[in-house]
């Protein structure tokens, strides 16, 4: 069996892995976001008609978003996924179709005027409808026999329905981590433990980061929200509509229990698909963590606060423009589209606005530019000055951090090869280094690289042939001295980077002791 990495190699987005056995399969077929966005237009580097089935780990668009394009180009096989993943895909794909349609109309109005050729959307409702008919729901933990391979979905505790995947073929076992949640994720509980594999294709979104603890994150969110309310401006929370928005609503509920006056602050979940997504969460609440299930059991819906309104139609969304205060949760999470743009355009220039980022911001996105401190940004064709207070809360992440990832790899009892994907290069490198320090074998594949999965060994050398540890240590300590005598920014980014560095150094020193 052979695997080729047609996405999420050297970057986070665009997950798409081609497996070639007796038949051809795809694990995920997601869109590229941020700086590689234009890749979505490129033709697939394989023939969609030859793919027997797509095995989909979860609904996030960077894993599922090119499936309707695959269908448009002739794919007719089955799509295996969990029930909630299927329901979430329909909502996300139809929303994508709507956004693409608006974007194409805008571009074509321009192109008509300038005499350029007209463009087409990546896909339309028609392909979404066709793709929906190809889904085969698969429950967690059941083995499915696809003749030449067997597969089993395991709960990865990342978003509702998200899975790691075990795949067997001719005596070789491959595990795809999918996107993995933190150990004890507030929303989905604990990721499944998998104990053996020959190859583990593992994500590394936060391979170089440690999240703050749950307690720290909650108190950080609490102080940011309380502080922002004092400014009497709007509080904008750009959020992924799936999972993160529900988490934010739940955290706001907990805060309201602690500070009852918060029940007077209006909260809006401004998203055309927000209501539907939340309904999927309510319907499958048995798959959520014990902490969340407990509320449902007591008859309390953690996603329905008394002062919370779901704004579905554009008119409902516009109706809050005139309000001076209030908390607005809106997509998209990285500010690449959606209603958050409209709220940013109208409020980012005001000093009493607070923007709270609660999720990952990929390189090249508007969200990343704001987080990176740009003084002016372009939103919907207008230049906007950034005067709002910007906050980043990374602890709400639905992704494992470095120590969670390491812990997950340690459940594997045998000695699998870890193939590191789904991360920016420095994150994948950091994870690779820490795993190698623990004696594990790792590879970081590049885009379109293939691996022969029958070999079960790494061809490339594990460590560079010549190395000078003495001068490396000199350099390290000189940096530590320099840092102590200079003013280091007191922010989360710096803290996390230093924490990661400390973690790595500690690993090396412990290793020294045990040798
Ligand atoms: Zn994901
Ligand atoms: Zn992902």
């Amino acid at each position: 069996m052979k695997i080729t990495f047609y996405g999420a190699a050297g970057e986070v987005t665009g997950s798409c892995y081609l497996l070639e056995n007796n038949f051809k399969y795809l694990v995920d077929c997601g869109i590229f976001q941020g700086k590689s966005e234009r890749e979505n237009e490129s033709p697939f580097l394989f023939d969609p008609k030859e793919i027997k089935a797509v095995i989909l780990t979860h609904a996030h668009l960077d894993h599922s978003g090119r499936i309707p394009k695959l269908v448009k180009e002739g794919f007719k096989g089955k799509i295996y996924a969990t029930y909630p993943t299927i329901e979430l895909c329909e909502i996300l794909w139809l929303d994508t179709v709507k956004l693409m349609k608006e974007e194409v109309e805008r571009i074509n109005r321009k192109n008509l005027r300038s005499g350029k050729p007209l463009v087409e959307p990546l896909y339309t409702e028609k392909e979404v409808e066709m793709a929906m008919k190809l889904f085969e729901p698969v429950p967690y933990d059941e083995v499915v026999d696809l003749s030449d391979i067997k597969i089993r979905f395991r709960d990865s505790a990342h978003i509702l329905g998200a899975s790691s995947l075990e795949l067997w073929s001719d005596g070789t076992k491959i595990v795809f981590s999918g996107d993995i949640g933190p150990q004890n994720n507030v929303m989905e509980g604990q990721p499944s433990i998998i104990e053996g594999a020959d190859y583990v294709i593992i994500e590394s979104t936060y391979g170089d980061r440690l999240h703050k603890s749950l307690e720290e994150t909650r108190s950080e969110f609490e102080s940011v929200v309380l502080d922002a309310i004092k400014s009497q401006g709007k509080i904008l929370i750009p959020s992924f509509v799936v999972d993160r928005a529900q988490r934010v609503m739940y955290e706001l509920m907990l805060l309201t229990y602690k500070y009852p006056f918060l029940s007077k602050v209006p909260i809006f979940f401004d998203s055309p698909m927000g209501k539907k997504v939340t309904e999927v969460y309510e319907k499958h609440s048995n798959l959520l963590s014990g902490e969340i299930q407990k509320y449902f059991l007591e008859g309390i819906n953690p996603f329905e606060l008394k002062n919370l309104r779901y704004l579905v139609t554009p008119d409902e969304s516009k109706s809050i423009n005139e309000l001076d205060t209030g908390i607005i949760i809106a997509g998209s999470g990285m500010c690449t589209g959606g209603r958050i743009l409209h709220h940013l355009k109208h409020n980012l220039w005001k000093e009493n606005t607070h923007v709270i980022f609660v999720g990952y911001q990929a390189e090249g996105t508007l969200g990343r530019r704001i987080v990176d401190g740009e003084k002016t940004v372009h939103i919907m064709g207008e230049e906007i000055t950034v005067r709002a207070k910007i906050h980043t809360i990374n602890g709400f992440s639905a992704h494992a951090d470095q120590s969670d990832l390491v812990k997950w790899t340690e459940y594997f009892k045998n000695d699998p090869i870890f193939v590191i994907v789904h991360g920016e290069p420095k994150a994948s490198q950091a994870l690779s280094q820490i795993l190698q320090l623990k004696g594990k074998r790792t590879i970081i594949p590049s885009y379109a690289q293939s691996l022969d999965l029958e070999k079960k060994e790494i061809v490339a050398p594990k460590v560079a042939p010549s190395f000078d540890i003495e001068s490396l240590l000199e350099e390290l300590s000189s940096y530590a001295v320099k840092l102590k005598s200079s003013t280091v920014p007191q922010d989360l980014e710096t803290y996390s980077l230093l924490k990661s560095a400390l973690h790595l150094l500690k690993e090396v020193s412990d290793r020294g002791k045990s040798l």
Side-chain angles (χ1 to χ4, degrees):
M1 179 178 264
K2 193 171 104 176
I3 184 169
T4 310
F5 301 88
Y6 285 123
E11 62 188 308
V12 170
T13 65
S15 280
C16 183
Y17 314 123
L18 175 70
L19 284 169
E20 291 171 85
N21 206 33
N22 299 345
F23 298 103
K24 289 181 184 173
Y25 299 92
L26 281 186
V27 173
D28 292 346
C29 188
I31 53 166
F32 293 95
Q33 293 160 324
K35 65 179 196 302
S36 313
E37 210 173 60
R38 296 186 66 183
E39 282 294 314
N40 296 322
E41 311 286 335
S42 313
F44 290 109
L45 296 178
F46 47 83
D47 184 356
K49 292 187 202 78
E50 290 179 1
I51 305 294
K52 185 182 174 201
V54 175
I55 306 158
L56 177 60
T57 61
H58 66 294
H60 271 154
L61 289 171
D62 64 310
H63 295 258
S64 75
R66 276 191 297 165
I67 291 177
K69 173 181 154 95
L70 197 73
V71 170
K72 189 177 179 179
E73 294 177 21
F75 168 71
K76 288 194 171 59
K78 285 185 173 163
I79 308 164
Y80 295 92
T82 63
Y83 187 3
T85 296
I86 299 171
E87 292 191 314
L88 291 172
C89 274
E90 182 170 30
I91 301 169
L92 289 172
W93 289 348
L94 288 174
D95 183 68
T96 306
V97 162
K98 208 175 95 217
L99 293 177
M100 286 190 307
K101 206 167 154 188
E102 286 164 10
E103 176 73 358
V104 161
E105 280 168 6
R106 194 183 61 79
I107 295 172
N108 281 346
R109 274 197 300 273
K110 260 191 180 174
N111 286 6
L112 261 179
R113 287 194 293 267
S114 63
K116 284 190 191 144
L118 300 185
V119 294
E120 261 187 44
L122 212 54
Y123 48 84
T124 63
E125 285 97 343
K126 189 180 131 207
E127 285 84 26
V128 169
E129 234 170 73
M130 284 159 73
M132 287 309 298
K133 290 191 184 126
L134 304 177
F135 270 118
E136 278 292 315
V138 182
Y140 282 131
D141 304 327
E142 269 181 30
V143 176
V144 183
D145 194 338
L146 306 180
S147 76
D148 61 331
I149 60 167
K150 286 191 176 68
I151 57 169
R152 179 161 64 181
F153 288 89
R154 308 293 305 276
D155 192 343
S156 72
H158 164 62
I159 62 167
L160 184 71
S163 319
S164 297
L165 182 71
E166 294 173 284
L167 190 149
W168 295 266
S169 151
D170 302 329
T172 303
K173 180 179 175 188
I174 306 146
V175 167
F176 292 83
S177 72
D179 288 1
I180 322 173
Q183 294 288 320
N184 289 318
N185 191 358
V186 168
M187 294 293 284
E188 282 86 16
Q190 213 198 358
S192 298
I193 290 168
I194 304 173
E195 295 189 331
D198 296 300
Y199 288 88
V200 180
I201 320 295
I202 183 173
E203 69 125 317
S204 58
T205 317
Y206 287 108
D208 60 343
R209 289 281 189 283
L210 293 175
H211 299 323
K212 286 190 175 172
S213 70
L214 180 60
E215 296 70 38
E216 282 174 292
T217 302
R218 282 191 166 149
S219 78
E220 199 182 359
F221 185 62
E222 176 180 322
S223 64
V224 166
V225 170
L226 295 180
D227 186 42
I229 282 170
K230 273 189 225 141
S231 313
Q232 300 197 315
K234 277 187 178 151
I235 303 172
L236 307 182
I237 308 184
S239 171
F240 304 110
V241 174
V242 180
D243 205 80
R244 193 62 39 82
Q246 289 73 24
R247 170 76 191 272
V248 169
M249 289 188 276
Y250 172 58
E251 294 295 332
L252 287 170
M253 180 185 90
L254 296 183
L255 271 187
T256 310
Y257 284 161
K258 197 167 169 188
Y259 301 99
F261 78 91
L262 286 177
S263 63
K264 297 203 175 58
V265 178
I267 304 171
F268 305 97
F269 183 11
D270 188 8
S271 162
M273 55 175 172
K275 186 76 195 158
K276 282 189 204 146
V277 170
T278 304
E279 279 165 5
V280 177
Y281 268 69
E282 289 161 357
K283 176 172 165 186
H284 299 280
S285 59
N286 62 317
L287 294 176
L288 297 174
S289 69
E291 178 178 338
I292 303 279
Q293 284 187 26
K294 199 159 169 276
Y295 286 100
F296 277 106
L297 201 62
E298 287 168 2
I300 298 165
N301 184 334
F303 315 131
E304 292 284 357
L305 299 165
K306 281 198 190 74
N307 49 330
L308 170 80
R309 259 182 68 202
Y310 283 82
L311 307 176
V312 180
T313 66
D315 282 343
E316 284 172 329
S317 174
K318 280 179 203 140
S319 73
I320 59 168
N321 280 352
E322 306 304 317
L323 288 181
D324 294 325
T325 59
I327 300 174
I328 302 168
I329 307 163
S332 72
M334 297 193 261
C335 310
T336 49
R339 291 187 183 163
I340 194 67
L341 289 185
H342 165 85
H343 295 296
L344 286 169
K345 182 175 162 184
H346 291 283
N347 297 287
L348 206 53
W349 57 275
K350 296 177 188 165
E351 266 173 20
N352 64 348
T353 301
H354 288 252
V355 186
I356 309 177
F357 285 93
V358 289
Y360 181 78
Q361 305 299 315
E363 274 179 25
T365 59
L366 174 62
R368 178 72 162 251
R369 285 198 287 279
I370 298 173
V371 167
D372 283 348
E374 289 198 9
K375 295 281 172 268
T376 52
V377 287
H378 276 91
I379 303 175
M380 300 158 88
E382 234 181 84
E383 193 174 279
I384 310 286
T385 304
V386 184
R387 290 205 195 92
K389 312 268 178 317
I390 311 298
H391 313 271
T392 309
I393 312 262
N394 278 332
F396 286 152
S397 178
H399 282 278
D401 70 3
Q402 188 188 59
S403 74
D404 295 325
L405 288 167
V406 169
K407 184 158 187 201
W408 189 79
T409 64
E410 283 175 342
Y411 291 124
F412 288 88
K413 297 271 184 291
N414 58 349
D415 176 28
I417 294 172
F418 289 92
V419 182
I420 302 174
V421 294
H422 197 292
E424 285 175 14
K426 68 179 193 322
S428 301
Q429 284 291 349
L431 182 64
S432 172
Q433 277 163 13
I434 196 162
L435 292 182
Q436 286 192 7
L437 285 170
K438 289 180 167 293
K440 299 186 196 307
R441 299 179 289 167
T442 65
I443 315 176
I444 304 175
S446 46
Y447 180 78
Q449 186 183 336
S450 297
L451 285 181
D452 179 351
L453 298 175
E454 255 120 68
K455 285 213 168 68
K456 297 180 191 173
E457 62 183 39
I458 299 176
V459 185
K462 260 171 72 176
V463 183
S466 74
F467 44 85
D468 178 359
I469 289 185
E470 285 301 316
S471 58
L472 199 61
L473 284 173
E474 278 297 313
E475 210 179 331
L476 274 172
S477 50
S478 81
Y479 269 113
V481 171
K482 243 190 253 168
L483 278 172
K484 274 192 84 173
S485 59
S486 63
T487 20
V488 179
Q490 296 288 314
D491 61 7
L492 178 65
E493 177 91 350
T494 311
Y495 177 84
S496 301
L497 280 168
L498 287 173
K499 245 338 214 330
S500 298
L502 180 70
H503 198 71
L504 276 170
L505 285 173
K506 211 172 151 289
E507 286 289 330
V508 182
S509 127
D510 290 350
R511 188 175 133 88
K513 270 180 232 153
S514 66
L515 283 177

